[in-house]
Amino acid sequence: MGKTPNEMTDPQLVEACLDGDDGAWTALVDRYAALVYSIPTRQGLGEDLSQDVFQNVWTITIRYLGALRDPQGLAAWLITTTQRETWRVARRASQQPGPGYEDLSEVAWADPAEAELLEERQRLRRSLARLDDRCRALLTEVFREDRPSYDLLAERLSIPRGSIGPTRGRCLEKLRTLVAEDDTNQLSG
């Protein structure tokens, strides 16, 4: 039995997209939506302009996916494409008068270290999505910016307070395994 689109490696997903598999396109967009959307927002574009970039990037992807030389480098290609589209949209918007367009002069290219960090976060998001619901919910809550207390976590997740630490440890180990598998799968394509 074949893999579902969500189980496919990037090269397999690209191939399925090029074969016209609608489910593969949905999986591709779902897999990289957070990554693509994060770039214009991190660069200071507002909601409307970030959505423009998001839509433009997927239009570009549909048009040029077949020309992608190395499907293994899909994340890097999307980062570069999104950075370029962010710059283009910001430049066009800064030439238009009106509210929200005044301070787009600060939009800049992300440095290579930032691009690497974005790729790493994308791999982590993809692996986190593969965890079971309980582990995904716990890890998502534990690593929130507002750092909820264990008492609040126990209440939110309906688990005993004393089991949060050990469960977190097991879930982190599962996540490490999934990240390592994902890295291996991406290399073997």
Side-chain angles (χ1 to χ4, degrees):
M1 183 160 87
K3 294 180 178 180
T4 67
N6 289 330
E7 298 170 328
M8 293 179 180
T9 63
D10 284 351
Q12 293 168 334
L13 199 55
V14 167
E15 185 178 329
C17 288
L18 294 174
D19 288 341
D21 182 337
D22 288 340
W25 279 107
T26 300
L28 180 72
V29 173
D30 287 349
R31 183 175 291 177
Y32 287 104
L35 174 69
V36 170
Y37 194 77
S38 72
I39 293 170
T41 57
R42 287 173 58 99
Q43 295 298 320
L45 267 60
E47 179 78 20
D48 289 344
L49 294 178
S50 293
Q51 287 180 9
D52 287 349
V53 170
F54 184 85
Q55 284 197 297
N56 294 348
V57 166
W58 292 113
T59 300
I60 292 166
T61 302
I62 289 169
R63 187 175 303 139
Y64 293 105
L65 192 62
L68 186 63
R69 283 185 230 140
D70 178 18
Q72 187 62 47
L74 178 62
W77 183 85
L78 284 168
I79 289 168
T80 300
T81 300
T82 305
Q83 287 174 333
R84 288 178 179 160
E85 191 58 21
T86 297
W87 180 76
R88 191 187 70 72
V89 166
R91 186 180 64 196
R92 186 184 67 217
S94 68
Q95 295 168 356
Q96 298 175 356
Y101 298 112
E102 298 85 14
D103 191 24
L104 295 174
S105 60
E106 297 299 314
V107 174
W109 291 85
D111 64 27
E114 184 177 1
E116 190 174 308
L117 178 64
L118 290 171
E119 282 188 72
E120 186 177 309
R121 285 181 179 169
Q122 178 59 32
R123 284 193 306 275
L124 187 57
R125 264 190 226 100
R126 186 170 43 234
S127 296
L128 189 62
R130 292 176 52 207
L131 283 173
D132 60 79
D133 292 342
R134 182 178 183 195
C135 280
R136 186 173 44 253
L138 176 60
L139 292 179
T140 300
E141 287 291 326
V142 166
F143 294 106
R144 287 171 47 136
E145 281 187 41
D146 62 354
R147 308 276 173 148
S149 69
Y150 271 23
D151 290 330
L152 186 56
L153 281 174
E155 183 181 320
R156 281 184 186 167
L157 301 173
S158 300
I159 59 176
R161 183 189 192 285
S163 70
I164 292 173
T167 303
R168 181 193 63 200
R170 286 190 299 274
C171 292
L172 283 171
E173 189 55 41
K174 288 178 187 178
L175 183 61
R176 281 186 200 99
T177 301
L178 290 172
V179 168
E181 284 175 9
D182 189 48
D183 290 345
T184 301
N185 288 338
Q186 291 298 323
L187 291 175
S188 64

